[in-house]
Amino acid sequence: MAIIGNIIKGIIHATDIISSEYNAAEEQRSVLKNLLETAKETKFGEKYQFNDVLESNNPEKVYREKVPFSDYNQITTNWWEDVQEGKKDVTWPGSPDYFALSSGTTGKTNKRIPVTDAMVSAIRRAGIQQVLALRNFDLPADFFEKEIMMLGSSTDLEEYNNALEGEISGISASNIPFWFENYYKPGKEIAKIDDWDMRIQRIAEKAADWDIGALSGIPSWMELMLQKVIDYNSLNNIHEIWPNLQVYTSGGVAFGPYKKSFNALLGKPITVIDTYLASEGFIAFQDRPETDAMKLVTDNGIYFEFVPFNPDYIKPDGSLVQNAPSLTISEVELNQDYVLVISTVAGAWRYLIGDTIEFTDIERAEIKITGRTKFFLNTVGSQLSVNKLNDAVQHLEKEYDIEIPEYTLCANRIKDDFYHCWYLGTDSKIDTEKLSKSLDNFLKDANKNYKVARSKALEGVKVNTVSPSIFHDWSGANKKKGGQVKMERVMGQDRFAEWETFVASKI
């Protein structure tokens, strides 16, 4: 009998009894006031008159009137360069304990994002909220006695100006509470290995010693790890070595495109729970099994604003025009794409995180990530979000019974005409003309703007298929394997030319 598991499960379920009624708007007002109060004597707080904002009758309105939007480049040039040099009380009291290195999707340059002790604590609290939400998933008591494989970047952090730096997954793993250490795998020693291939090799060698009940990590790298464990131990599927595996906590990118290839590595179905942990904070997690949408963490050090996703508000580099309107969580509508803007306990203020979201349930504050501001495909008016592109790829998987875990595309000018040029990552041999026609027809039906564009300046669709391993090699060439870098779903023409040269070198 799972005695400890029953105790833990009982505690988790008891929290549901004592929890108060949820009001996201009130929680967000409180978060904003706490942020402003804490940072009012920083250089940023003094410049933008946080004291005046706090004394106003409508702090949300005055805050957005006084403080400009910033993306990473803007806030770094104006403020975070001083933070990175070790200066104190710039955008948050004191100086950060960590810097989260993030290369985003291109991997070309490292962003160095402040991570304060307050943010580390907020991430930990959000993680506890997610664990408590497991009461909604009807998991057996013995699940709570199993080990958890957290696959992220190396926890071997480097010193930088009296702080430590590394990717957010490594920072989070290096700050796990002591009581969790016995559950955490691959353990501190293996997690510190910087070389991805060496770390995965050690995991494969030790896999038989562990009783893994849950996995956590980015889908693409998780798949590669599972495949390595399967191959090294001569298995048919991962459940032959981890029979009690029941939950996968996905994050970093949408799980949908990986669903079919991921499930092919399993011996039986498992529960997939989506999370939204960015370098800037723990933003949302899936709270219940009835939906794959995620609940915003509205009471935990992040204040959210939502800019309606309108091409007129987006600059070519993906940043926002300063007169773009922003909404609070009490003003949003269902099924509308919004650019996500955050203010945090790490000293990010009206910060453009780069993602677009839509609300699926406003009362529960549940969202889905629909894409990236830089990945919105609007050449010749096609107006396609990553969400629609993911749907199109999953349509192909279903129609042709194939796996396409990776893809990228570009609105490419060929001679005088524009084409949507796709590369699909699949080992299946399917006629590319059929794939092109199927993609084109699906997107015409799914998006009226695309259909209009196809009748005008968008000439057609071209498809190439390549091995998914080429996508992994591309990510590895741009940045260390296994890191937070994600595959670009939409590329500009210059980047796409680099991609095609890389593909040609691998074929």
Side-chain angles (χ1 to χ4, degrees):
M1 182 178 179
I3 297 175
I4 296 176
N6 274 305
I7 293 172
I8 296 173
K9 187 174 182 179
I11 293 171
I12 289 173
H13 279 271
T15 62
D16 195 33
I17 298 172
I18 62 175
S19 61
S20 59
E21 188 174 341
Y22 177 66
N23 187 313
E26 288 185 6
E27 290 183 349
Q28 281 286 275
R29 290 188 194 101
S30 177
V31 166
L32 177 60
K33 288 180 180 179
N34 287 336
L35 289 172
L36 297 170
E37 184 68 37
T38 305
K40 65 185 180 182
E41 295 181 359
T42 64
K43 293 179 177 65
F44 192 96
E46 291 175 348
K47 177 176 176 62
Y48 292 107
Q49 302 171 318
F50 281 7
N51 267 323
D52 292 348
V53 180
L54 285 163
E55 292 172 2
S56 69
N57 293 326
N58 191 337
E60 293 113 319
K61 179 176 180 293
V62 177
Y63 175 63
R64 62 191 175 202
E65 288 173 351
K66 284 185 175 291
V67 180
F69 296 120
S70 292
D71 61 11
Y72 175 80
N73 291 331
Q74 291 164 336
I75 198 170
T76 299
T77 298
N78 295 326
W79 299 97
W80 282 355
E81 283 182 356
D82 286 346
V83 178
Q84 292 164 0
E85 290 173 3
K87 296 179 181 178
K88 295 183 177 182
D89 303 325
V90 180
T91 61
W92 192 254
S95 55
D97 301 279
Y98 302 92
F99 289 102
L101 299 180
S102 171
S103 59
T105 46
T106 66
K108 285 294 186 183
T109 57
N110 259 337
K111 297 178 181 178
R112 185 173 275 115
I113 298 166
V115 179
T116 60
D117 185 59
M119 178 55 75
V120 171
S121 297
I123 291 172
R124 185 180 296 159
R125 287 194 299 270
I128 292 172
Q129 288 185 32
Q130 183 184 7
V131 170
L132 295 176
L134 292 175
R135 61 178 173 252
N136 300 323
F137 288 85
D138 193 29
L139 295 165
D142 64 357
F143 167 77
F144 298 96
E145 296 185 343
K146 305 305 177 186
E147 296 161 330
I148 300 176
M149 171 65 70
M150 296 172 62
L151 187 67
S153 53
S154 171
T155 59
D156 188 18
L157 308 178
E158 297 183 1
E159 290 191 13
Y160 181 85
N161 280 354
N162 297 317
L164 295 173
E165 65 177 20
E167 292 187 4
I168 193 64
S169 58
I171 293 171
S172 299
S174 67
N175 278 280
I176 60 172
F178 72 92
W179 53 264
F180 184 64
E181 291 180 5
N182 289 335
Y183 294 93
Y184 166 60
K185 293 294 179 280
K188 289 185 175 181
E189 181 181 341
I190 295 176
K192 284 186 175 181
I193 298 174
D194 192 47
D195 182 88
W196 160 261
D197 294 313
M198 187 181 300
R199 192 172 353 132
I200 296 308
Q201 177 66 28
R202 291 288 292 125
I203 289 173
E205 293 168 357
K206 294 283 290 181
D209 297 336
W210 301 328
D211 187 7
I212 302 296
L215 305 170
S216 178
I218 292 177
S220 55
W221 302 117
M222 185 62 69
E223 279 193 18
L224 290 180
M225 184 275 288
L226 293 177
Q227 190 64 62
K228 180 67 174 180
V229 172
I230 290 170
D231 292 344
Y232 180 83
N233 292 281
S234 301
L235 309 172
N236 294 310
N237 62 70
I238 198 63
H239 276 107
E240 290 184 357
I241 198 166
W242 294 333
N244 295 308
L245 175 60
Q246 299 180 66
V247 172
Y248 169 43
T249 301
S250 176
V253 295
F255 179 69
Y258 300 93
K259 183 176 181 179
K260 191 164 187 177
S261 56
F262 186 89
N263 287 342
L265 302 174
L266 308 177
K268 55 188 176 183
I270 64 174
T271 298
V272 178
I273 301 175
D274 273 321
T275 62
Y276 188 0
L277 173 61
S279 297
E280 294 83 359
F282 200 146
I283 292 171
F285 60 85
Q286 186 180 341
D287 186 51
R288 57 196 180 100
E290 299 90 342
T291 177
D292 57 359
M294 296 175 288
K295 177 181 177 292
L296 284 173
V297 184
T298 53
D299 63 346
N300 194 34
I302 301 178
Y303 176 70
F304 300 103
E305 295 175 77
F306 310 92
V307 176
F309 192 85
N310 182 322
D312 292 340
Y313 302 152
I314 312 296
K315 297 179 183 178
D317 64 358
S319 63
L320 289 169
V321 299
Q322 286 300 330
N323 64 350
S326 70
L327 306 177
T328 66
I329 201 165
S330 63
E331 299 169 316
V332 295
E333 299 176 355
L334 290 174
N335 305 316
Q336 159 74 50
D337 279 353
Y338 293 103
V339 179
L340 186 62
V341 175
I342 63 174
S343 302
T344 78
V345 290
W349 299 102
R350 305 200 79 207
Y351 179 89
L352 177 67
I353 199 170
D355 291 326
T356 61
I357 60 99
E358 68 170 334
F359 279 85
T360 59
D361 189 313
I362 293 174
E363 186 176 345
R364 288 189 172 98
E366 288 179 342
I367 64 163
K368 286 187 176 181
I369 300 172
T370 57
R372 298 281 293 172
T373 55
K374 292 182 180 180
F375 289 177
F376 184 68
L377 192 62
N378 193 35
T379 305
V380 296
S382 54
Q383 293 194 24
L384 289 172
S385 68
V386 172
N387 208 30
K388 284 288 189 291
L389 302 178
N390 287 344
D391 289 346
V393 170
Q394 289 174 67
H395 167 74
L396 292 183
E397 290 186 315
K398 184 176 181 180
E399 181 175 3
Y400 294 102
D401 191 24
I402 58 177
E403 296 171 9
I404 311 174
E406 299 287 1
Y407 73 88
T408 193
L409 74 150
C410 173
N412 206 14
R413 185 188 291 273
I414 301 175
K415 295 183 179 178
D416 294 326
D417 298 314
F418 275 104
Y419 290 84
H420 280 182
C421 297
W422 291 69
Y423 275 80
L424 302 177
T426 180
D427 290 321
S428 302
K429 305 301 179 184
I430 303 290
D431 181 70
T432 54
E433 289 294 330
K434 290 182 179 179
L435 293 172
S436 298
K437 186 175 181 180
S438 184
L439 271 175
D440 193 32
N441 289 336
F442 177 87
L443 290 172
K444 284 178 183 175
D445 291 338
N447 188 295
K448 63 181 180 181
N449 293 306
Y450 177 85
K451 187 174 183 178
V452 170
R454 281 289 286 111
S455 69
K456 295 181 178 178
L458 183 59
E459 187 66 23
V461 173
K462 294 180 179 291
V463 169
N464 286 288
T465 59
V466 295
S467 169
S469 64
I470 291 179
F471 290 82
H472 303 145
D473 291 343
W474 169 262
S475 294
N478 280 275
K479 198 173 184 294
K480 292 177 182 178
K481 292 181 179 180
Q484 295 295 107
V485 67
K486 302 120 187 175
M487 184 64 206
E488 303 104 306
R489 294 311 191 196
V490 176
M491 295 184 179
Q493 287 182 275
D494 291 344
R495 184 69 165 165
F496 193 69
E498 293 179 33
W499 160 257
E500 292 205 297
T501 299
F502 182 85
V503 172
S505 72
K506 294 291 182 177
I507 297 177

